[in-house]
Amino acid sequence: MTGVPDVSPKDTWDALRNDPQAALVDVRTDAEWNFVGLPDLAGIAKQTVLIPWQIYPTMQVNDHFADQLRKAGLTPLHRIHFICRSGARSLAAGQAAQAAGFPHAFNVADGFEGPVDGHGHRGTVAGWKADGLPWRQR
């Protein structure tokens, strides 16, 4: 596989439901997980893997990202879907994962909240929340 393909949130959900080797890694910060919410995979007997791509509050890239993927039990056989707020950090994380030996990396297009709407709010136009997929507050 070359590059990290974008996959819609709904197609990601279908992959997570139907593929035992599919995993979801949320690469947002702990502040985002705590205050914005998380994808909820309990209904399909899976858990979202929480590994920040950048460390809050400095927003430095997480130097231990690939090691943390391995520590979470992920292997090169997994098909890993990376999600962030809008799809930018998750793309970078997917590229780093591929470079670290995880060939099956996918970027969740529009992320958890997607772009802002006409009123400056996220979560209504596109993304995991806007698509009505399961999520919860932490």
Side-chain angles (χ1 to χ4, degrees):
M1 176 184 295
T2 57
V4 177
D6 283 341
V7 178
S8 74
K10 287 183 178 180
D11 287 345
T12 297
W13 176 253
D14 288 342
L16 292 165
R17 269 194 359 230
N18 299 318
D19 181 354
Q21 293 299 315
L24 181 66
V25 175
D26 191 326
V27 301
R28 295 174 299 150
T29 64
D30 54 353
E32 289 170 292
W33 301 327
N34 287 326
F35 298 113
V36 180
L38 295 164
D40 186 359
L41 308 184
I44 56 172
K46 289 189 176 183
Q47 285 189 325
T48 303
V49 177
L50 306 179
I51 303 174
W53 173 243
Q54 295 172 301
I55 306 300
Y56 181 83
T58 63
M59 300 310 280
Q60 278 186 264
V61 170
N62 178 359
D63 292 333
H64 305 288
F65 186 75
D67 289 335
Q68 291 171 344
L69 289 173
R70 290 181 194 95
K71 284 180 186 169
L74 297 169
T75 72
L77 298 177
H78 283 98
R79 283 170 282 290
I80 307 171
H81 296 254
F82 292 94
I83 191 169
C84 67
R85 181 185 68 197
S86 60
R89 285 175 285 172
S90 51
L91 177 60
Q95 291 167 338
Q98 283 183 336
F102 297 90
H104 309 291
F106 303 91
N107 183 41
V108 180
D110 295 312
F112 188 67
E113 295 182 280
V116 294
D117 64 17
H119 301 287
H121 300 139
R122 292 185 185 274
T124 61
V125 176
W128 189 276
K129 287 171 89 174
D131 281 354
L133 296 169
W135 67 280
R136 63 178 173 83
Q137 293 296 141
R138 192 165 189 192

